[in-house]
Amino acid sequence: MWAARVVTTLLLTAHGSADPRSAANARAVARRLTRLRPDLDVRLAFCELNAPSPVDVLCSLPTGREAVIAPLLLANAYHARLDIPRQVAECGVTERGLVVRQADVLGEDDRLVSVLRQRVCELGISRLDDSLGVLVVAIGSSNLAANARTAAAVAPKLLAGTRWAAATTAFATRAEPSFAESVAQLRRRGARRVVVAPWFLAPGRLPDRVQRLADDAGITVAAPLGAHPLVAETVLDRFDRALAQPMAA
């Protein structure tokens, strides 16, 4: 007798924002996931400011369902480490017969850095332009280790395969290094012109703040990563890895 097939849900969980462009981007990533895996049950949730929440979605799943929460987040900070696990616990998944795993965040994946490099090149910039300095601007976190990982990985990887003069990182929610200090550092390292490469998944209020700073300094800003196919591929990679891991006893 054949055992019943366990249906697995990929619960794409985005940060959430008061800016509707952010939620629209998350929905676009979810649609890409569905196109890449037509047989996969893909659902979308938001940690805050938008609905539904992870609790809402998990509590709506039928008994016996397996779910993988795939954070649509770049940094392994508050939402991934504390908020999402808390929301899973609130739903009482064990009592409801659900098997829930949490995948890793997207992190400083090479595929995403390649998208960031593409966004810079979309400004009409050549990879051979040795006068260029790139300021990577990330959201930033109270988790200093998460910030350090971003700073250590993204900017150096971004320079690979180019002749750009220099790249460095600043954080939109942290006071140091400031936008102006980071631009000055790039110029000291040989950059004769500077562009901003936003390490953001979507448009929103923080990216808009970065845009205003750049406008004041006469600096061009590239587009965020957006719903690029490689973003969806990275989500699926994290999903597949989570499914391959044995559940803790």
Side-chain angles (χ1 to χ4, degrees), residues 75-96:
N76 186 27
Y78 167 73
H79 285 295
R81 296 167 64 89
L82 299 174
D83 185 30
I84 292 174
R86 174 187 58 79
Q87 294 201 45
V88 171
E90 282 182 11
C91 189
V93 294
T94 303
E95 294 83 350
R96 300 191 64 254

Side-chain angles (χ1 to χ4, degrees), residues 8 13 17 22 27 51 110 124 128 136 139 195 216 239 243:
T8 301
T13 303
S17 171
S22 180
R27 288 191 288 270
D110 289 350
L128 303 179
V136 176
I139 293 175
V195 298
D216 290 343
F239 169 80
L243 274 184

